[in-house]
Amino acid sequence: MNQWMLSLIIFMPIIGALAVLVIPKEKSSTIKWTALLFSLPSLVLSIVLWVGYRGGVNYDIKLPWIEALNVHYYLGVDGISVPMIFLTALLTTLCLIYSWIINERPKEYFALFLFLETGMLGVFASLDLFLFYIFWEISLVPMYFLIGVWGGPRREYAAIKFFLYTLVGSVAMLLAIIGVYFYTTPHTFSIPEAIQQLPFKHYPLIESLAFLAFFLAFAIKVPMWPFHTWLPDAHVEAPTAGSVILAGILLKLGGYGFIRIALPMLPGAAQKYAIPMAILALISIVYGALVAMAQKDMKKLIAYSSVNHMGYVMLGIAAASVMTPTTNPALAKAFIESKTMALSGAMLQMFGHGLITGSLFLLVGVIYERTHNRDLSLFGGLGSRLPVYAGLLSFASFASLGLPGLAGFVAEFFVFRGAFGLPYPMNIITGLAGLGIVLNAAYLLWMVQRVLLGPLNLKWKDLPDADRREIVSLVPLVALTIVVGVFPALLVSTFNASLMKIVAALAGGG
């Protein structure tokens, strides 16, 4: 059973998608229940996966697939992928519950959502680069249609922009994958084997080109400045559940790609470009916060906040990659500890951002479905009229700005503590990134003030509060935000050993 658990987790949603497609389109309720029921096994098994995880690579399966190319159906999980698989399954299930209001072409909508889940889960479980690429591309297509069909007024433009940006990165990644294949002996797409061989170790120029190709693919997905411009359009035009998955999971594929592939497989190039990556991360942090502060559209504000928050992920990744040559054993140990802490912060931020920003986008959807408006200047005073909604929005906003005791704080603290413990110029870049925390608090408090405080706009005096469906979608995210904030060791103990191996390999320069 253990050998096939990952396959069940990954492919149960696509079986559900096929089941949904054979149900007559008139039976909307049956379609929705079928989609939800087929998402639950992946969620339950992801919990079993995490509880049963014992370190190293678990639940692996390796079967020949395309023998002429040495391609294998190779799945497995370690401490890096286990939490992300759980987060994917959780957010998908909650989004399906929230999407109960979808009445326009529900068959296609729910089938695409389940298909998307399979793609995302496959990325986190793949240990073969060929398989990784296929799942990466599978996750692109359903989101294109979800934005393009169920999105807002400019949905076609946003969907095409999202598709083209991601496709450019995918082509670059494919070229890098082919390079890895030809520079391994024997030729292989196996991620663990390629990491062990370090295919470009003796070819620094080619290693740099391969790293930059992977960097482009992953940076677009994160997204880092200046590759971020597709994100606000996609978020604003996507349906609410689509925005949640986009922010909660799809952005994390980029960060995961850096940690899973780029850093351990190309350590020399990762060290070479660590400071440029850190500078881009700094720009993303400050720029994302400043632009978020200038937004009047509530959804676009949260979209730009993702640029800001994912900048902390990239700062942690850059910190783990930076060169720290020293002959002092105690100092070398301290640097490795700092790098591991920064990379742990990046992982915590990816998980926490999925919970918190997922909650914020759901809350934007709650108010938009009632008012068909997201203009912050048109709200005010809703705190007294919608107490449950006000409590949830305040909680998610404070979590996002980094209130101690919640997931956002502990993630950013790990990144800053780890990166600031490294020598110049990394500590200077990290210090400047602290400006993002202040700006982050400013735009989120400004949003809360404009929506919940002040005089009530009488136009909204009869708005109903959050209903049962919306509360059920949000409560698990709220609970986990508290749990991760208070007990971060539950996460850190899962992925710390895997991250320490990556940092140790980087410290040796491969």
Side-chain angles (χ1 to χ4, degrees), residues 54-129:
R54 292 292 178 266
V57 176
N58 286 192
Y59 304 98
D60 51 314
I61 178 172
K62 187 175 184 181
L63 301 173
W65 183 16
I66 308 173
E67 296 191 31
L69 294 175
N70 198 23
V71 174
H72 290 79
Y73 176 73
Y74 189 10
L75 302 175
V77 292
D78 63 2
I80 302 169
S81 48
V82 166
M84 301 312 297
I85 287 175
F86 166 74
L87 182 64
T88 303
L90 174 67
L91 282 179
T92 303
T93 299
L94 296 178
C95 283
L96 290 173
I97 293 171
Y98 186 89
S99 297
W100 223 258
I101 57 172
I102 295 292
N103 294 314
E104 179 189 356
R105 303 173 68 178
K107 176 192 286 194
E108 293 88 343
Y109 177 92
F110 284 91
L112 284 168
F113 227 96
L114 290 169
F115 189 44
L116 174 62
E117 182 180 12
T118 287
M120 296 184 296
L121 290 168
V123 169
F124 292 127
S126 295
L127 292 179
D128 183 281
L129 284 169

Side-chain angles (χ1 to χ4, degrees), residues 286-302:
V286 177
Y287 168 86
L290 286 172
V291 178
M293 196 180 296
Q295 300 307 312
K296 295 182 180 179
D297 185 306
M298 190 176 179
K299 199 173 188 184
K300 189 171 280 191
L301 183 150
I302 296 169

Side-chain angles (χ1 to χ4, degrees), residues 76-405:
V77 292
D78 63 2
I80 302 169
S81 48
V82 166
M84 301 312 297
I85 287 175
F86 166 74
L87 182 64
T88 303
L90 174 67
L91 282 179
T92 303
T93 299
L94 296 178
C95 283
L96 290 173
I97 293 171
Y98 186 89
S99 297
W100 223 258
I101 57 172
I102 295 292
N103 294 314
E104 179 189 356
R105 303 173 68 178
K107 176 192 286 194
E108 293 88 343
Y109 177 92
F110 284 91
L112 284 168
F113 227 96
L114 290 169
F115 189 44
L116 174 62
E117 182 180 12
T118 287
M120 296 184 296
L121 290 168
V123 169
F124 292 127
S126 295
L127 292 179
D128 183 281
L129 284 169
F130 191 91
L131 193 62
F132 178 93
Y133 183 79
I134 287 175
F135 282 122
W136 182 278
E137 291 298 283
I138 285 175
S139 67
L140 167 63
V141 177
M143 183 55 73
Y144 167 78
F145 285 108
L146 287 169
I147 297 171
V149 177
W150 290 273
R154 299 174 69 245
R155 56 185 177 270
E156 292 89 354
Y157 168 79
I160 291 171
K161 192 174 182 180
F162 162 74
F163 192 92
L164 290 178
Y165 266 73
T166 310
L167 186 62
V168 168
S170 297
V171 171
M173 179 168 64
L174 180 60
L175 294 174
I177 288 172
I178 292 171
V180 171
Y181 174 77
F182 280 112
Y183 278 81
T184 48
T185 305
H187 299 324
T188 182
F189 289 104
S190 167
I191 293 174
E193 289 178 26
I195 290 172
Q196 187 175 8
Q197 291 191 36
L198 299 178
F200 306 112
K201 184 176 182 179
H202 303 294
Y203 307 94
L205 177 59
I206 299 175
E207 182 180 21
S208 291
L209 292 173
F211 181 86
L212 291 174
F214 278 123
F215 175 85
L216 181 62
F218 300 146
I220 288 173
K221 207 78 167 184
V222 165
M224 287 183 76
W225 182 92
F227 309 105
H228 69 285
T229 56
W230 63 269
L231 180 70
D233 292 307
H235 268 314
V236 169
E237 301 304 325
T240 297
S243 293
V244 172
I245 291 297
L246 193 59
I249 305 300
L250 287 181
L251 304 190
K252 310 308 180 294
L253 298 184
Y256 177 81
F258 277 110
I259 297 171
R260 168 65 65 215
I261 297 172
L263 267 60
M265 197 178 293
L266 308 166
Q271 289 184 334
K272 179 179 179 181
Y273 294 106
I275 297 302
M277 278 198 299
I279 292 171
L280 290 179
L282 170 62
I283 296 172
S284 296
I285 290 167
V286 177
Y287 168 86
L290 286 172
V291 178
M293 196 180 296
Q295 300 307 312
K296 295 182 180 179
D297 185 306
M298 190 176 179
K299 199 173 188 184
K300 189 171 280 191
L301 183 150
I302 296 169
Y304 275 108
S305 80
S306 290
V307 178
N308 166 260
H309 285 100
M310 291 304 290
Y312 296 116
V313 173
M314 291 309 303
L315 184 65
I317 289 171
S321 308
V322 73
M323 293 183 68
T324 51
T326 179
T327 56
N328 185 328
L331 194 57
K333 182 181 178 182
F335 285 154
I336 288 177
E337 290 175 352
S338 290
K339 292 178 181 182
T340 304
M341 180 168 287
L343 199 55
S344 295
M347 278 295 304
L348 280 167
Q349 179 74 341
M350 287 201 293
F351 192 89
H353 180 264
L355 300 174
I356 297 165
T357 307
S359 301
L360 285 169
F361 275 116
L362 287 174
L363 288 161
V364 173
V366 170
I367 205 70
Y368 181 74
E369 283 152 18
R370 287 158 171 74
T371 65
H372 300 289
N373 206 303
R374 296 189 299 261
D375 190 337
L376 289 165
S377 64
L378 299 179
F379 295 112
L382 293 182
S384 59
R385 183 68 188 84
L386 311 175
V388 175
Y389 178 81
L392 291 169
L393 180 63
S394 299
F395 175 87
S397 299
F398 282 115
S400 186
L401 65 81
L403 186 72

Side-chain angles (χ1 to χ4, degrees), residues 79-80 83 343-345 347-348 488 491-500:
I80 302 169
L343 199 55
S344 295
M347 278 295 304
L348 280 167
L491 266 174
V492 175
S493 62
T494 301
F495 54 65
N496 202 49
S498 299
L499 296 181
M500 286 180 68

Side-chain angles (χ1 to χ4, degrees), residues 7-90:
S7 299
L8 285 172
I9 291 173
I10 293 169
F11 293 109
M12 188 61 71
I14 208 168
I15 294 170
L18 295 174
V20 164
L21 289 175
V22 301
I23 299 172
K25 62 181 181 181
E26 296 81 11
K27 297 185 177 181
S28 176
S29 180
T30 304
I31 288 169
K32 295 170 183 178
W33 276 109
T34 301
L36 178 60
L37 290 174
F38 272 95
S39 74
L40 289 175
S42 294
L43 176 57
V44 173
L45 288 174
S46 71
I47 296 171
V48 174
L49 189 80
W50 197 340
V51 172
Y53 177 69
R54 292 292 178 266
V57 176
N58 286 192
Y59 304 98
D60 51 314
I61 178 172
K62 187 175 184 181
L63 301 173
W65 183 16
I66 308 173
E67 296 191 31
L69 294 175
N70 198 23
V71 174
H72 290 79
Y73 176 73
Y74 189 10
L75 302 175
V77 292
D78 63 2
I80 302 169
S81 48
V82 166
M84 301 312 297
I85 287 175
F86 166 74
L87 182 64
T88 303
L90 174 67

